[in-house]
Amino acid sequence: GTHYTMTNGGNINSSTHLLDLLDEPIPGVGTYDDFHTIDWVREKCKDRERHRRINSKKKESAWEMTKSLYDAWSGWLVVTLTGLASGALAGLIDIAADWMTDLKEGICLSALWFNHEQCCWGSNETTFEERDKCPQWKTWAELIIGQAEGPGSYIMNYIMYIFWALSFAFLAVSLVKVFAPYACGSGIPEIKTILSGFIIRGYLGKWTLMIKTITLVLAVASGLSLGKEGPLVHVACCCGNIFSYLFPKYSTNEAKKREVLSAASAAGVSVAFGAPIGGVLFSLEEVSYYFPLKTLWRSFFAALVAAFVLRSINPFGNSRLVLFYVEYHTPWYLFELLPFILLGVFGGLWGAFFIRANIAWCRRRKSTKFGKYPVLEVIIVAAITAVIAFPNPYTRLNTSELIKELFTDCGPLESSSLCDYRNDMNASKIVDDIPDRPAGTGVYSAIWQLCLALIFKIIMTVFTFGIKVPSGLFIPSMAIGAIAGRIVGIAVEQLAYYHHDWFIFKEWCEVGADCITPGLYAMVGAAACLGGVTRMTVSLVVIVFELTGGLEYIVPLMAAVMTSKWVGDAFGREGIYEAHIRLNGYPFLDAKEEFTHTTLAADVMRPRRSDPPLAVLTQDNMTVEDIENLINETSYNGFPVIMSKESQRLVGFALRRDLTIAIESARKKQEGIVGSSRVCFAQHTPSLPAESPRPLKLRSILDMSPFTVTDHTPMEIVVDIFRKLGLRQCLVTHNGIVLGIITKKNILEHLEQLKQHVEPLAPPWHYNKKRYPPSYGPDGKPRPRLHNVQLKPIAEEREETEEEVHLLNSTTL
């Protein structure tokens, strides 16, 4: 219930207590309802007041000093716990997903909990060519019909593959539907919205965490075209939210809690890709709305702890944090920037196509009967995926395994068909750097299979992202880019081999040298496609180079990622997460969007000329019953408080929730409060007749310094204020007299209308400098002038006299 003083310039003077010191703070005041936006300014002032209170008491006793130290360290403690939990859960998910993915093909008889690779580790009967075959591992065909080869075995394995895929998908969607509907999807669009100050109760709760962890394993194991990396951010944020409730500093302050969630999202990316620094940059660039310097340090620490825990668990048995860690030793050459940039163009085109196609499909799902049957949709998508994926060895593979194979360079120990090159018989010894060689039949057949896999992945990912199971987009996008990159890499390699006398190869690619690394092209393509979809830049480059450990490949990565962003932006500025935020109608003001229109605050404020007058409260003329009737008859989140119906001058702003809680509390705790009791927001209670009931003083819940703008303020400035200060609402005044109100929802509706209608061009620079709109309106007519301030046509009919300005002649709608 502590308040603050604020001028339009934004200066805060928290020393002014607006709480009546004789009254105790009312429990519940200052909290928020579900699907409401927090008041960042109020939360920050509350935290500053709490901090000042602790500091003033810490010298009183040893206990108060201990409490002060605990308060100071609680931030580091909560991010440590979040990092530990995120790392442990990520390791568990990785191990379980690997085991269940291999379960679709067979089982390890010697130890049921081993996956295929672990099963054959200890076997002495594996050969170099068939290293994945050992007597301990039995396919389903061997177990059921006793055949390891032949058409009967193939059909049985095919049937069992589809059966397990459908079973996992059905179990995943059923658990989500019954226990935690919020556990579906990637979770990043909602986390971006929550971090911007929106409240979605239960989205980061313990049920969501538990069900998301279980169903993520099932969804990945079902073979659907999705990844676990995006949902791991949601899992980490759930951990951060749950641990923040252990510390009063975070549990009672929504703005402080969002600092923990920013650190948690960094930990999520850290364990998803084994990229702690990339995780911090991802949190800063992609998801966080408010990111002070101490949050940067805590995010870094959370990412470090999470990566350390995952490294200790070692889920992949390769002492790395990710499955597809690779190292390249061949340098890249200037000419290769051309194919890298072409891969960037492909990534941008793929991103633009995917965003449009996926949003169109999701919109269709929302508007047709198909959306009412989520279980059926998941079963159909899983069935189509399994039926088409099994015949092609590259689509049958787990997507992370596929990326690993595409990233890996061909060495002397590789048995993949992608490495089926014709060997040079003159080579006397095996060396690390194998020279470029002509492609064999295995490479050509692999390219055909990869082309089919590329088409399959592109189509299925459009229909899979957004279904009611946990589904990440990072891995499918990287797989599409890696396939395209590997194909381009092999093409350039063969071109260099057969045409090494061309001037572009002559200078640096000698016969018998290892010039081209196809795996590097796969890595660049993966980064380009992921960048095209998400429009990430800096964080993406850092994540990919942390994945590969190749500092010298930063320039190719930067070139491809920037190209993909430019190409994608040419078709539409928003990434997939922003597009889903807009599709779901979340109140998110994107800081990246520019406002170039020429409207004024008077054009956007409510009420419009055709609306009923604004609902307001008076300072000391209303009864409890009047206020209760106003609350019941309207659905507004708050009401301006004015001096009187005659004066109409602004006193402050009272929130609906605070009013309701305060009146209920007063009726229970204070004697003599009845429906006819006078409500007083003023500092001094007015003199009342002796027989009148006891008045109710509500000054403690009144915001005495609400943000206000004049009716002539350009909307460009208003939008900036809302973005940078995280406001819920802003009052519009004229000479201190309240005219209307602008809420975050009004601004979003206004921006949407401006997008849909063709707007005049942005005003020239000198008008921007003056902060005035142009002299002529969109209809070509000159705007009227008054006191040298230009008004829009909406104000043409308005007489600027003191009587006509009084829009608020009644207190109810």
Side-chain angles (χ1 to χ4, degrees):
T2 306
H3 287 266
Y4 46 86
T5 313
M6 183 162 286
T7 65
N8 287 341
N11 298 317
I12 299 175
N13 178 9
S14 300
S15 61
T16 306
H17 287 260
L18 303 175
L19 176 66
D20 190 337
L21 296 174
L22 297 173
D23 297 334
E24 286 185 15
I26 302 162
V29 166
T31 57
Y32 304 94
D33 285 322
D34 200 5
F35 295 107
H36 281 65
T37 305
I38 70 167
D39 189 332
W40 285 90
V41 178
R42 183 165 79 163
E43 295 296 301
K44 291 304 292 177
C45 288
K46 250 168 58 177
D47 181 61
R48 203 170 283 117
E49 188 60 41
R50 179 197 61 79
H51 196 262
R52 193 175 284 112
R53 198 166 56 246
I54 288 170
N55 272 352
S56 65
K57 285 183 180 177
K58 71 179 180 184
K59 293 178 183 174
E60 292 175 7
S61 65
W63 173 243
E64 290 296 340
M65 177 60 88
T66 309
K67 278 166 67 176
S68 165
L69 289 171
Y70 173 72
D71 181 78
W73 275 95
S74 59
W76 295 102
L77 203 52
V78 72
V79 295
T80 305
L81 291 170
T82 303
L84 290 169
S86 303
L89 285 172
L92 183 73
I93 289 167
D94 286 338
I95 292 165
D98 275 0
W99 177 74
M100 291 183 80
T101 301
D102 287 346
L103 190 64
K104 293 193 304 228
E105 296 181 3
I107 200 162
C108 185
L109 293 181
S110 58
L112 296 178
W113 56 90
F114 278 177
N115 64 22
H116 192 168
E117 189 181 4
Q118 291 163 342
C119 192
C120 293
W121 270 349
S123 175
N124 297 322
E125 298 169 54
T126 51
T127 61
F128 178 73
E129 285 77 19
E130 296 183 334
R131 64 188 81 171
D132 58 342
K133 290 188 178 177
C134 59
Q136 290 89 341
W137 179 264
K138 298 286 184 189
T139 62
W140 293 110
E142 287 177 86
L143 285 173
I144 295 168
I145 59 173
Q147 290 181 11
E149 304 290 338
S153 162
Y154 184 85
I155 291 166
M156 178 51 67
N157 283 331
Y158 201 163
I159 291 167
M160 289 305 292
Y161 182 90
I162 295 168
F163 165 75
W164 282 113
L166 291 178
S167 301
F168 294 154
F170 175 71
L171 190 55
V173 71
S174 302
L175 286 170
V176 167
K177 189 180 177 187
V178 175
F179 294 105
Y182 283 152
C184 68
S186 156
I188 293 178
E190 286 76 12
I191 285 163
K192 280 189 77 161
T193 311
I194 288 168
L195 286 174
S196 77
F198 196 55
I199 293 198
I200 308 177
R201 300 243 180 261
Y203 198 83
L204 301 174
K206 52 185 181 295
W207 271 105
T208 306
L209 173 64
M210 191 166 72
I211 298 300
K212 186 118 188 177
T213 305
I214 296 165
T215 54
L216 182 54
V217 172
L218 292 165
V220 171
S222 68
L224 288 162
S225 183
L226 48 82
K228 58 180 179 290
E229 278 63 18
L232 275 174
V233 176
H234 187 183
V235 166
C237 284
C238 287
C239 296
N241 182 59
I242 290 164
F243 286 126
S244 70
Y245 281 102
L246 302 176
F247 304 90
K249 179 178 176 179
Y250 295 100
S251 62
T252 58
N253 193 299
E254 292 292 342
K256 294 295 288 178
K257 192 184 291 176
R258 274 149 184 76
E259 292 178 20
V260 175
L261 297 181
S262 288
S265 60
V269 173
S270 172
V271 292
F273 290 107
I277 300 169
V280 175
L281 290 172
F282 173 82
S283 179
L284 173 61
E285 181 185 358
E286 191 61 23
V287 295
S288 292
Y289 197 82
Y290 172 66
F291 205 82
L293 195 59
K294 64 181 173 187
T295 303
L296 179 72
W297 301 331
R298 285 176 184 166
S299 300
F300 185 74
F301 187 67
L304 164 74
V305 172
F308 172 75
V309 172
L310 188 64
R311 174 68 180 75
S312 306
I313 294 171
N314 194 13
F316 302 110
N318 61 356
S319 299
R320 301 290 182 192
L321 298 180
V322 282
L323 185 61
F324 37 83
Y325 182 91
V326 286
E327 285 184 80
Y328 305 123
H329 302 289
T330 315
W332 62 277
Y333 299 94
L334 196 61
F335 154 75
E336 290 183 282
L337 274 179
L338 187 62
F340 292 152
I341 287 169
L342 285 175
L343 284 171
V345 172
F346 171 78
L349 292 172
W350 146 252
F353 163 76
F354 174 79
I355 291 168
R356 292 197 177 186
N358 182 252
I359 292 296
W361 176 247
C362 290
R363 193 172 282 123
R364 185 171 179 79
R365 183 193 289 131
K366 280 177 177 285
S367 59
T368 58
K369 283 186 178 179
F370 197 49
K372 295 176 184 173
Y373 306 103
V375 178
L376 182 64
E377 184 188 11
V378 171
I379 294 296
I380 290 169
V381 172
I384 293 169
T385 305
V387 168
I388 300 173
F390 187 83
N392 187 336
Y394 292 108
T395 50
R396 193 190 317 169
L397 271 178
N398 175 6
T399 316
S400 294
E401 292 272 3
L402 170 63
I403 293 171
K404 179 189 175 186
E405 189 159 321
L406 294 167
F407 277 15
T408 306
D409 199 16
C410 286
L413 304 178
E414 292 300 325
S415 59
S416 164
S417 57
L418 275 170
C419 296
D420 182 24
Y421 290 92
R422 295 205 297 274
N423 281 316
D424 184 2
M425 293 302 161
N426 298 327
S428 55
K429 59 179 180 171
I430 291 178
V431 289
D432 280 345
D433 289 340
I434 294 180
D436 288 346
R437 297 162 293 167
T441 52
V443 173
Y444 289 119
S445 66
I447 286 177
W448 277 113
Q449 288 171 335
L450 284 176
C451 287
L452 293 172
L454 181 64
I455 295 164
F456 166 75
K457 286 277 180 193
I458 286 173
I459 294 169
M460 289 315 298
T461 305
V462 168
F463 293 101
T464 306
F465 188 69
I467 59 175
K468 298 299 178 191
V469 293
S471 54
L473 190 59
F474 285 19
I475 289 295
S477 294
M478 288 180 76
I480 288 164
I483 292 169
R486 187 77 186 212
I487 293 167
V488 170
I490 291 170
V492 173
E493 182 189 46
Q494 294 306 301
L495 197 65
Y497 178 81
Y498 286 110
H499 302 283
H500 54 80
D501 53 343
W502 285 10
F503 78 95
I504 49 176
F505 301 118
K506 206 173 192 176
E507 295 296 321
W508 53 272
C509 191
E510 298 171 8
V511 182
D514 181 19
C515 306
I516 310 292
T517 311
L520 171 62
Y521 285 75
M523 182 183 86
V524 171
C529 281
L530 186 51
V533 170
T534 61
R535 306 295 157 82
M536 285 156 45
T537 50
V538 182
S539 54
L540 177 58
V541 170
V542 174
I543 285 169
V544 176
F545 100 68
E546 281 190 87
L547 271 179
T548 54
L551 275 169
E552 60 186 299
Y553 304 115
I554 283 185
V555 173
L557 286 169
M558 288 169 76
V561 168
M562 268 329 294
T563 308
S564 76
K565 180 171 169 55
W566 284 334
V567 171
D569 282 351
F571 293 93
R573 295 298 293 269
E574 55 186 15
I576 186 67
Y577 301 131
E578 289 81 11
H580 271 272
I581 285 170
R582 200 154 60 85
L583 177 73
N584 293 327
Y586 295 135
F588 181 75
L589 269 175
D590 193 357
K592 295 170 193 167
E593 273 188 38
E594 292 177 17
F595 187 88
T596 55
H597 306 285
T598 58
T599 46
L600 297 177
D603 306 328
V604 181
M605 73 174 190
R606 299 294 186 269
R608 317 299 305 143
R609 289 191 71 79
S610 56
D611 294 346
L614 185 69
V616 295
L617 307 174
T618 54
Q619 188 172 241
D620 50 19
N621 293 336
M622 296 180 75
T623 62
V624 170
E625 193 176 1
D626 291 338
I627 292 179
E628 286 180 329
N629 288 339
L630 181 62
I631 288 169
N632 292 333
E633 289 166 13
T634 62
S635 58
Y636 305 129
N637 286 329
F639 306 94
V641 178
I642 57 173
M643 290 185 78
S644 65
K645 291 181 185 178
E646 294 75 35
S647 161
Q648 299 281 328
R649 293 201 177 273
L650 182 65
V651 174
F653 192 81
L655 290 171
R656 176 198 193 91
R657 180 180 171 85
D658 291 356
L659 283 168
T660 310
I661 291 169
I663 290 171
E664 280 178 12
S665 174
R667 282 186 185 275
K668 287 176 190 171
K669 294 180 181 177
Q670 296 181 29
E671 289 181 15
I673 300 295
V674 291
S676 58
S677 295
R678 187 78 66 89
V679 176
C680 178
F681 292 102
Q683 197 159 5
H684 305 291
T685 312
S687 54
L688 299 171
E691 68 277 2
S692 60
R694 180 183 174 181
L696 173 59
K697 292 178 71 176
L698 291 184
R699 188 176 175 80
S700 63
I701 68 162
L702 185 65
D703 180 358
M704 295 287 289
S705 53
F707 263 89
T708 59
V709 294
T710 68
D711 50 341
H712 306 314
T713 308
M715 276 307 293
E716 181 184 358
I717 293 175
V718 177
V719 171
D720 244 11
I721 291 170
F722 268 81
R723 275 186 190 143
K724 289 175 181 170
L725 292 174
L727 297 188
R728 301 175 79 186
Q729 70 278 318
C730 179
L731 296 172
V732 182
T733 62
H734 181 90
N735 295 339
I737 294 164
V738 65
L739 298 181
I741 187 169
I742 298 175
T743 63
K744 199 172 182 182
K745 186 178 176 184
N746 299 147
I747 287 182
L748 289 163
E749 285 170 356
H750 181 63
L751 291 173
E752 198 58 39
Q753 284 169 2
L754 292 175
K755 272 183 190 170
Q756 289 170 3
H757 296 96
V758 179
E759 281 289 302
L761 289 173
W765 68 270
H766 52 275
Y767 283 121
N768 273 337
K769 196 172 177 186
K770 290 179 187 174
R771 296 294 184 192
Y772 291 150
S775 305
Y776 292 88
D779 54 0
K781 293 179 183 176
R783 300 180 192 274
R785 286 176 177 272
L786 185 80
H787 306 307
N788 296 322
V789 178
Q790 300 167 348
L791 300 174
K792 285 203 44 118
I794 191 162
E796 278 178 358
E797 301 163 14
R798 194 184 295 159
E799 296 261 347
E800 292 292 332
T801 61
E802 196 69 344
E803 291 78 18
E804 284 294 309
V805 169
H806 291 175
L807 291 172
L808 317 171
N809 51 8
S810 99
T811 55
T812 56
L813 279 176

